[in-house]
């Protein structure tokens, strides 16, 4: 499978288990790798036969900005399911970064990585 990657999509969401996270929100960063066969699109130079990554980016931001969830695992799952709605996408890897997670010791980032495919 070929891969289309989007890295560093940023959006503000109100996800988390603590009231402060829900009230104030925080920035989440999303990386995606979309697995698909790009040969039909390349053969005809036809956007309709691939995935429009601009549209995917907007949809992912909408998910992050949407209904709050407690866990970044749930957020990653929602993002993956949104990506798989695109017919050309056979599999997706989603990484959700939560760089401002409420952790009391110094850290750089917290991430969850999931891979989902059509079943």
């Amino acid at each position: 499978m070929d891969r289309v990657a989007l890295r560093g999509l940023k959006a503000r969401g109100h996800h988390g288990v603590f009231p402060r996270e829900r009230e104030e929100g925080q920035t989440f960063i999303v990386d995606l790798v979309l697995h698909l066969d790009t040969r039909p699109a390349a053969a005809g130079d036809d956007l309709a036969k691939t995935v429009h990554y601009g549209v995917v980016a907007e949809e992912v931001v909408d998910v992050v900005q949407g209904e709050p969830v407690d866990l970044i695992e749930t957020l990653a799952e929602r993002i993956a399911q949104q990506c798989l709605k695109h017919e050309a996408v056979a599999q997706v890897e989603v990484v959700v970064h939560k760089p401002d997670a409420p952790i009391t010791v110094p850290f750089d980032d917290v991430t969850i990585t999931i891979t989902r495919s059509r079943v």
Side-chain angles (χ1 to χ4, degrees):
M1 297 300 302
D2 305 316
R3 297 181 305 271
V4 173
L6 290 95
R7 305 271 188 226
L9 296 171
K10 294 180 184 175
R12 189 158 187 85
H14 294 264
H15 311 289
V17 296
F18 297 112
R20 184 174 179 185
E21 293 178 289
R22 291 294 184 105
E23 293 164 10
E24 296 176 14
Q26 59 193 293
T27 299
F28 292 85
I29 303 166
V30 178
D31 302 324
L32 301 173
V33 179
L34 308 169
H35 298 257
L36 62 152
D37 182 358
T38 62
R39 289 175 293 192
D45 199 28
D46 187 352
L47 177 60
K49 293 183 179 175
T50 187
V51 63
H52 191 310
Y53 51 79
V55 170
V56 172
E58 292 171 358
E59 292 171 349
V60 168
V61 166
D62 286 346
V63 171
V64 174
Q65 292 175 339
E67 181 184 347
V69 296
D70 288 343
L71 303 176
I72 60 173
E73 292 86 343
T74 306
L75 182 59
E77 184 67 33
R78 287 184 178 181
I79 291 168
Q81 294 309 314
Q82 181 62 46
C83 292
L84 289 171
K85 289 181 182 178
H86 293 268
E87 187 176 330
V89 178
Q91 182 173 304
V92 62
E93 179 179 288
V94 177
V95 181
V96 175
H97 301 257
K98 189 175 179 180
D100 298 320
I103 297 174
T104 61
V105 298
F107 74 103
D108 289 329
D109 199 5
V110 172
T111 66
I112 177 75
T113 303
I114 66 170
T115 302
R116 298 292 182 266
S117 57
R118 296 187 182 281
V119 179

